[in-house]
Amino acid sequence: MSSVPEPKASPPYAEEGVPPIIADPRSLRSLLRALRRTVRERLEGLDGEEIAAFLRRFDRYAPDVCWLAGTLYGERDDFTRHLEAIFTTAAEAYRARSPELKALDARREADPGWYQHHTMVGGVCYADLFAGTLKGVQERIPYFKELGLTYLHLMPLFRTPEGPNDGGYAVSSYREVNPRLGTMDDLRNLSAALRAEGISLVLDFVFNHTASDHEWALRARAGDPHYQQYYYMFDDRSIPDAYEKTLREIFPEEHQGAFTFFEEIGKWVWTTFHTYQWDLNYSNPAVFRQMLEEMLFLANVGAEVLRLDAVAFVWKQMGTPCENLPQAHTIIRAFNALVRIAAPALIFKSEAIVHPDDVVRYFGVGRWAGRECEISYNPLLMVELWEALATRHTHLLTYSMQHRFEIPPACAWVNYVRSHDDIGWGFADEDAEEVGIHGFHHRQFLNRFYTGQEEGSFAVGYPFQFNPKNLDMRISGTTASLAGLEKALAEDNPQAIELAIRRIVLIYSVVMSIGGIPLIYLGDEIGQLNDYGYRDDPGKASDSRWVHRPPMDWERAARRHDPATIPGRIFRSLSRLIEVRKQQPAFGAATRTEILSTGNPHLFAYLKAADPSRVLIVCNFSEEDQDIPFDRLPAFPPDPCHDLVTGRTVEASKGATLGPYEFLWLSLPGEA
Ligand code: GLC
């Protein structure tokens, strides 16, 4: 027998399944009146304007919350009690929110598309690896400013178990900073200092699971039935076996299947990722409410973006893959609506590394478009940039972006070339087939290519999570090492070094200009190579992703202004791209991106148009010179026109050639 009720195999958990109390307009109105009274009481003592702001937002979003929560929990007898608890949590969090953050709420409400601006530029780093501590990060603000960052994602920085903790993604407490990094007050100070410089703090919200030593897990282990219901725990293998029939293995090198047996409690616990990461049970409304409280706590610390970690996994249902279920979307929409009420300066970033059809759904669809996650990683662009570099062909990149780049108008992609995670070849097989590529074989090729086993490979990368059952594998390696710099340096080959630098700048040029928030994995701007030191650390040795998480090399960074050095060349090039991006409204996320067919298999081209400015971007993904087929492009540039980055003059009527890995950002007159 399991200690949690088995999730229902079929609706009523579908969207339509709202209970009568919500579906009937009259009873909904009276429920909302009662809830409004409850929250009003909780706000007693705040000043009148603050109360009015909250209630205005309550009136706007509370019906959505009721509806969404109703589809998840409306069948329960105690549903309205849970709903009341949820709104009480929101009101109390608002009460605790600082005046400064409430002022930010007002500014963001007046400029709701702030994250779509062309001035946005993101950076991501581990606090310890980048600067030792949170105070150290604060001291580096001038570096962020020099680069032009307006968004800083600090990798998980909360208390974790001693020993392996998945780079912080096993959270022992959402309320405590890892003592090695500092304190919660340090984090508050840092967020305020960043904010004062126009940099938004991005934190992870690891909400699919807690560490196995989180207080709730400890209580569950001690036998407390209340907390056992926070997780998925089973006395024998019957239910786990039934679930596993339809589950994917996520970390097969670490453990097979999705469950781990814990001797001391005699139970199988759902552990999608590592054995020390226990999946939370969102079919229990107490978990939803509790995690709302943790989330709003982080909002009140000053996070302006929460990266919703592993979003795809948060709802489980027997007989399904337990990924991307409709209820996962419902949970995020409900959280989002509550955030709009209690901390509207906060937005969500989706981390869904799943099929591209599913990735885009986390922006929300239909009436929820733009009301689920406002921004999302763009893993497809990332993998297809690497795919194009390996093949020197842009068919797949062009085809996929033509069909998949568009998103709801209020949203933005977060475009990146590298993250702290592995690269998994998550393009759609359907897209590949359209351009004559066999998905499975192509993935095998890319894996060989990026682990240096393919003729002509320039990359030094490593396997991650090889699964012998299906030959699935992902790739670890820094941008510079995957782009050829490590190999070229080892071979002392100046020509190869040149090409590697050009590859790095080329793929960064795309993320800077294609539309969305460009995100730099800090260290990339100075071309940091793979770091093999992790192999000596028992807490990290089994996870090859650490190879691309090197400590920031500040000595290398000190050479960033010297154009005769490699870090200097890369830093200067990326800084220039950022500078130009910030001058070009056309590069904003809300501006349409038209991906062009050039007829040349090595070129990738697109048009960004925000009247009155238009920019035609053409990139050469090969080592050979390529002529630009201006005749085939919808926008024929007038003579002469200029590359915004280098100032190069182009006379399109006479033709133009792109050198190896070269690109142009041609400024065109606006459409008449
Ligand atoms: C996300 C993180 C990854 C982590 C996993 C489990 O995918 O990016 O680093 O291992 O979630 O939390």
Side-chain angles (χ1 to χ4, degrees), residues 382-411:
M382 186 271 286
V383 303
E384 291 187 346
L385 288 172
W386 290 106
E387 190 273 342
L389 284 182
T391 59
R392 283 78 163 171
H393 281 118
T394 55
H395 301 116
L396 184 57
L397 175 63
T398 299
Y399 180 87
S400 296
M401 292 304 126
Q402 278 174 341
H403 292 85
R404 299 182 182 278
F405 194 78
E406 205 171 314
I407 53 176
C411 297

Side-chain angles (χ1 to χ4, degrees), residues 294-584:
E294 307 308 295
M295 178 196 300
L296 293 175
F297 176 84
L298 298 180
N300 284 352
V301 167
E304 294 181 41
V305 180
L306 284 184
R307 172 190 179 277
L308 300 191
D309 182 61
V311 278
F313 298 90
V314 298
W315 193 270
K316 331 284 188 198
Q317 185 168 301
M318 183 74 78
T320 75
C322 299
E323 286 184 55
N324 307 309
L325 295 180
Q327 295 87 346
H329 293 278
T330 305
I331 288 170
I332 303 164
R333 290 167 191 174
F335 276 155
N336 194 316
L338 285 154
V339 162
R340 302 277 70 77
I341 298 172
L346 181 71
I347 61 165
F348 290 163
K349 169 180 175 185
S350 154
E351 191 252 346
I353 310 302
V354 289
H355 188 284
D357 288 348
D358 287 312
V359 171
V360 78
R361 293 199 180 110
Y362 289 92
F363 287 121
V365 292
R367 66 178 283 228
W368 302 103
R371 301 177 57 199
E372 196 170 319
C373 291
E374 288 83 355
I375 63 177
S376 164
Y377 280 112
N378 191 350
L380 187 60
L381 176 66
M382 186 271 286
V383 303
E384 291 187 346
L385 288 172
W386 290 106
E387 190 273 342
L389 284 182
T391 59
R392 283 78 163 171
H393 281 118
T394 55
H395 301 116
L396 184 57
L397 175 63
T398 299
Y399 180 87
S400 296
M401 292 304 126
Q402 278 174 341
H403 292 85
R404 299 182 182 278
F405 194 78
E406 205 171 314
I407 53 176
C411 297
W413 284 118
V414 176
N415 296 313
Y416 64 117
V417 307
R418 218 43 216 96
S419 74
H420 69 289
D421 276 329
D422 47 287
I423 300 177
W425 305 108
F427 54 80
D429 280 359
E430 313 83 271
D431 294 6
E433 211 177 298
E434 283 294 332
V435 296
I437 290 174
H438 185 283
F440 175 82
H441 295 307
H442 201 51
R443 288 189 183 90
Q444 299 297 311
F445 159 77
L446 292 166
N447 282 332
R448 286 195 305 276
F449 187 93
Y450 281 106
T451 50
Q453 297 170 56
E454 194 62 36
E455 179 82 25
S457 168
F458 43 74
V460 180
Y462 294 87
F464 178 69
Q465 300 295 340
F466 174 63
N467 190 341
K469 288 184 207 154
N470 55 14
L471 304 184
D472 190 30
M473 190 178 111
R474 287 111 81 176
I475 298 291
S476 296
T478 62
T479 299
S481 291
L482 293 180
L485 191 57
E486 185 168 338
K487 186 163 187 272
L489 285 169
E491 291 169 357
D492 196 15
N493 179 341
Q495 211 186 342
I497 292 174
E498 175 65 30
L499 292 175
I501 294 174
R502 289 185 179 209
R503 286 187 197 101
I504 297 168
V505 178
L506 173 71
I507 54 179
Y508 265 110
S509 81
V510 176
V511 301
M512 293 291 175
S513 59
I514 195 163
I517 304 175
L519 179 59
I520 304 170
Y521 190 89
L522 293 172
D524 275 8
E525 72 284 9
I526 51 167
Q528 279 201 241
L529 303 178
N530 287 343
D531 169 38
Y532 300 98
Y534 80 99
R535 292 177 178 165
D536 303 325
D537 179 338
K540 295 180 174 173
S542 63
D543 187 338
S544 71
R545 291 175 299 177
W546 288 103
V547 86
H548 57 249
R549 302 169 181 172
M552 181 70 180
D553 184 345
W554 288 106
E555 276 174 30
R556 193 177 173 89
R559 299 198 292 279
R560 68 187 180 276
H561 300 301
D562 180 351
T565 64
I566 293 172
R569 284 198 51 196
I570 299 175
F571 189 89
R572 225 162 65 139
S573 302
L574 263 49
S575 297
R576 176 71 189 142
L577 294 176
I578 293 169
E579 187 186 5
V580 177
R581 172 186 163 79
K582 292 197 173 204
Q583 294 158 0
Q584 270 303 325

Side-chain angles (χ1 to χ4, degrees), residues 166 169 206 209 251 273-274 277 307 309-310 351 420-421 545 549:
D166 194 20
Y169 283 101
V206 187
H209 43 264
F251 280 175
F273 295 92
H274 294 92
Q277 288 163 308
R307 172 190 179 277
D309 182 61
E351 191 252 346
H420 69 289
D421 276 329
R545 291 175 299 177
R549 302 169 181 172

